[in-house]
Amino acid sequence: MQWWRDAVIYQVYPRSFADGNGDGVGDVAGIRARLGHLRDLGVDAIWMSPWYPSPMADAGYDVSDFRDIDPAFGTLAEAEALIAEAHEIGIRIIIDVVPNHVSSEHPWFRAALAGGPERDYFWFRKSQNMPTNWVGEFGGTTWTKVDDDTWYLHLFTPEQPDLNWEHPDVRAEFESILRFWFDRGADGIRIDSAALLFKDTALPEVTDGEPHPFHDLDAVHDVYRSWRRIADEYADRALIGEVWMPDVERFTNYLRPDELHAAFNFDLLGCAWDPYKMRSSIERTLESHAHIGAPPTWVLSNHDVTRHVTRYGRADTTFSFDNNLDGTPVDLELGTRRARAAALLTLSLPGAAYIYQGEELGLWENETIPEDQFQDPMYARRGHSRDGCRVPLPWSGDEPPYGFSAVENPADPWLPQPAEWKDRTVQTQTGDPNSMLELYRSAIRLRDFTGQELTWLEEEAELLAFTRGTGFACVLNLSETPVPLPEHRTLLLASSPLDGALLPRDTAVWLRL
Ligand code: GLC
């Protein structure tokens, strides 16, 4: 059963989902206690951001042991119990594996620093000057000096040394990690920074028109072929790549039949709220995936990007890490209206839909976190912090921490929650037919498009309108003026109230034809 092809997959960010022990940081106990929310929402799978032992230099994406759980989150036994409990209610579990780098506290790197043969597992270079002028993925330099003339490579922070994927032990180690988690019931693996693993060993500078020295080197595909063989030894396991890649053809190379099952499509996420651009992004995605027989994926938000309620409420509705729009004016009402319409759009397109925790509550980016509370290492390097999208979820009650912590008198949540979120809790939204939460619940309940082809209905480009099979249509009005609805039998769902019989701007409907 190829469940990943049209699943609804919910991203849990463990630090911020729910806190079972009251220390202000989310944990596995909290997730287990709140599984009912995910059952009621109707999702098919959970993707768990890293929960491994980590010094947390990059919020857990600096892993020091891939076979255990960080004590802040709980124990391996609790993680196993969570997997079993999720399976009991029909929810699959995808775990996050970070193959590009480890923590500088990982035993391999400590041994490497001590001069052991583990040095060959990393990129150590002797050189008087920095070996290259490569700019890191968070900005800043990519080499740190360990003694007079020896440097090591890190595409992210110095606490995240890059592994040397030319080394057979590195490959063997990750194959063993995959088996470790598949043996414990993991249904899928999300592969972090999936296109960065290999580096040009000659260490050339980045030059326009020349092959990039560390993005998307061909050798990486051989690794994913071997991972696919492992996944195929088990039943129904999926490999899902985090592949940021503007070149569609290079992107779909990762989805060849003997490689990954799926990859995150960030094209629509970066796209402006604009009918022409959105339609061409959707068409580009559908065509390129159809070409290779892989399922498209739809992502509006995740733990790295500005929440889309905020993005869609700005004058510039695009997203890119190179264009920092923090603090520009936001119309949250407009952003929310568009986010509701975007939910109906992405939940009815062919393929799998990813929901980042809190988007089902209509949460916006918290842009009011005081600078001295920022934890994200990206902030020092790029002047943009990802903390604003990582704020603990509001569950109930009128004041922080809004039920985030399950005990009396808990510690403050690790990042502050906006006062306005008292209207965004799961509790207040439950049963309110106009709430974001009930919109997501209804849409996920109604969503059943397996095998139903998409056909564009309208040539008129300011309307995104398509059918799935013969009985269903989604219509999103991105023009300035209200438009009549196509002929239909039933109005299934509307993202905002209709204007008489007309579909207002920035509104989407699902119709039974
Ligand atoms: C991925 C993660 C991001 C992390 C980075 C380094 O892009 O999504 O959160 O900082 O990889 O591991």
Side-chain angles (χ1 to χ4, degrees):
M1 191 212 160
Q2 303 193 326
W3 58 271
W4 56 87
R5 296 192 78 92
D6 53 15
V8 176
I9 300 171
Y10 185 96
Q11 180 186 357
V12 167
Y13 194 69
R15 294 185 81 70
S16 300
F17 186 73
D19 167 24
N21 67 1
D23 64 357
V25 175
D27 48 37
V28 177
I31 302 168
R32 290 171 70 190
R34 295 289 190 185
L35 275 180
H37 172 64
L38 302 178
R39 181 200 51 222
D40 296 347
L41 187 57
V43 303
D44 302 298
I46 304 170
W47 149 32
M48 208 73 66
S49 275
W51 52 4
Y52 315 104
S54 164
M56 304 288 167
D58 185 21
Y61 282 93
D62 47 321
V63 180
S64 49
D65 178 0
F66 276 103
R67 295 181 183 81
D68 205 351
I69 301 297
D70 193 276
F73 297 143
T75 63
L76 184 58
E78 284 178 276
E80 288 171 346
L82 166 63
I83 295 173
E85 287 159 8
H87 286 169
E88 269 163 38
I89 56 172
I91 295 180
R92 296 174 202 265
I93 300 279
I94 298 164
I95 58 146
D96 208 319
V97 166
V98 187
N100 181 68
H101 44 267
V102 293
S103 162
S104 50
E105 296 295 315
H106 188 284
W108 275 6
F109 194 70
R110 284 162 162 258
L113 283 186
E118 290 82 356
R119 268 205 181 197
D120 294 344
Y121 299 166
F122 299 91
W123 290 84
F124 281 87
R125 283 291 182 279
K126 277 204 183 302
S127 166
Q128 260 186 337
N129 302 315
M130 201 171 281
T132 67
N133 294 309
W134 296 352
V135 176
E137 297 293 302
F138 292 161
T141 58
T142 57
W143 296 90
T144 291
K145 210 182 211 180
V146 290
D147 59 38
D148 276 356
D149 56 359
T150 303
W151 306 73
Y152 70 89
L153 174 70
H154 50 83
L155 294 184
F156 294 91
T157 70
E159 292 81 17
Q160 295 164 293
D162 277 53
L163 288 166
N164 171 17
W165 274 87
E166 312 282 343
H167 202 294
D169 291 0
V170 172
R171 292 181 65 136
E173 171 67 357
F174 276 86
E175 292 180 2
S176 149
I177 291 165
L178 293 193
R179 290 182 197 280
F180 179 90
W181 286 102
F182 284 151
D183 288 340
R184 274 163 188 72
D187 301 280
I189 308 283
R190 180 259 187 191
I191 306 164
D192 187 75
S193 303
L196 300 180
L197 273 44
F198 282 82
K199 283 90 193 172
D200 184 336
T201 50
L203 302 182
E205 290 299 338
V206 176
T207 313
D208 270 353
E210 296 291 320
H212 198 281
F214 57 87
H215 282 173
D216 190 32
L217 271 65
D218 286 332
V220 76
H221 294 288
D222 194 46
V223 170
Y224 297 138
R225 284 189 199 103
S226 71
W227 288 23
R228 177 60 176 258
R229 286 193 292 273
I230 292 171
D232 286 348
E233 290 170 22
Y234 296 79
D236 302 334
R237 311 300 161 103
L239 301 171
I240 304 159
E242 187 209 16
V243 182
W244 290 89
M245 186 114 27
D247 183 319
V248 174
E249 201 175 316
R250 301 285 312 181
F251 176 86
T252 51
N253 279 345
Y254 289 77
L255 301 174
R256 288 178 286 208
D258 58 347
E259 297 193 35
L260 307 184
H261 300 81
F264 294 96
N265 154 40
F266 295 119
D267 200 69
L268 189 66
L269 186 157
C271 180
W273 188 256
D274 170 282
Y276 303 96
K277 294 189 172 131
M278 285 167 74
R279 177 148 170 175
S280 85
S281 171
I282 293 167
E283 285 185 338
R284 188 160 58 237
T285 298
L286 293 176
E287 278 161 23
S288 57
H289 286 71
H291 184 64
I292 195 134
T297 62
W298 306 102
V299 184
L300 293 168
S301 281
N302 66 29
H303 66 294
D304 292 329
V305 307
T306 307
R307 282 189 178 273
H308 60 276
V309 165
T310 298
R311 295 198 320 262
Y312 290 153
R314 290 174 173 159
D316 180 345
T317 49
T318 61
F319 179 81
S320 110
F321 288 109
D322 298 327
N323 183 20
N324 186 347
L325 298 169
D326 294 350
T328 57
V330 183
D331 177 342
L332 286 177
E333 206 177 308
L334 178 66
T336 303
R337 179 185 183 88
R338 290 173 170 172
R340 292 174 61 90
L344 293 194
L345 173 69
T346 51
L347 285 166
S348 58
L349 286 169
Y354 285 80
I355 297 173
Y356 173 50
Q357 67 175 40
E359 82 172 64
E360 82 282 19
L361 304 177
L363 301 188
W364 55 87
E365 187 82 0
N366 183 2
E367 296 196 276
T368 64
I369 302 174
E371 199 182 348
D372 62 4
Q373 291 187 41
F374 282 155
Q375 310 227 359
D376 181 13
M378 189 187 270
Y379 183 64
R381 296 166 176 82
R382 267 184 197 263
H384 166 72
S385 166
R386 296 170 295 177
D387 291 315
C389 67
R390 299 175 173 180
V391 175
L393 293 192
W395 293 91
S396 60
D398 287 333
E399 49 189 59
Y402 304 113
F404 172 65
S405 297
V407 305
E408 297 273 328
N409 303 315
D412 287 340
W414 71 283
L415 288 172
Q417 301 157 305
E420 299 87 347
W421 283 7
K422 70 175 190 316
D423 300 328
R424 289 287 177 282
T425 64
V426 174
Q427 188 182 42
T428 40
Q429 295 194 48
T430 295
D432 172 358
N434 299 319
S435 69
M436 187 72 93
L437 179 56
E438 293 297 348
L439 181 74
Y440 269 83
R441 285 178 177 162
S442 303
I444 295 170
R445 195 170 51 240
L446 287 167
R447 176 188 147 92
D448 177 17
F449 305 115
T450 315
Q452 310 275 301
E453 290 291 314
L454 175 143
T455 311
W456 291 102
L457 250 187
E458 279 287 335
E459 284 318 313
E460 210 181 317
E462 291 197 329
L463 224 49
L464 294 184
F466 55 85
T467 55
R468 298 290 308 274
T470 51
F472 172 91
C474 173
V475 185
L476 164 56
N477 181 8
L478 290 169
S479 75
E480 298 286 314
T481 41
V483 296
L485 292 177
E487 212 180 301
H488 60 277
R489 276 201 293 146
T490 326
L491 175 67
L492 295 171
L493 273 180
S495 65
S496 296
L498 297 191
D499 174 358
L502 300 178
L503 180 67
R505 64 180 298 193
D506 293 334
T507 303
V509 285
W510 282 8
L511 305 172
R512 179 73 59 222
L513 303 178

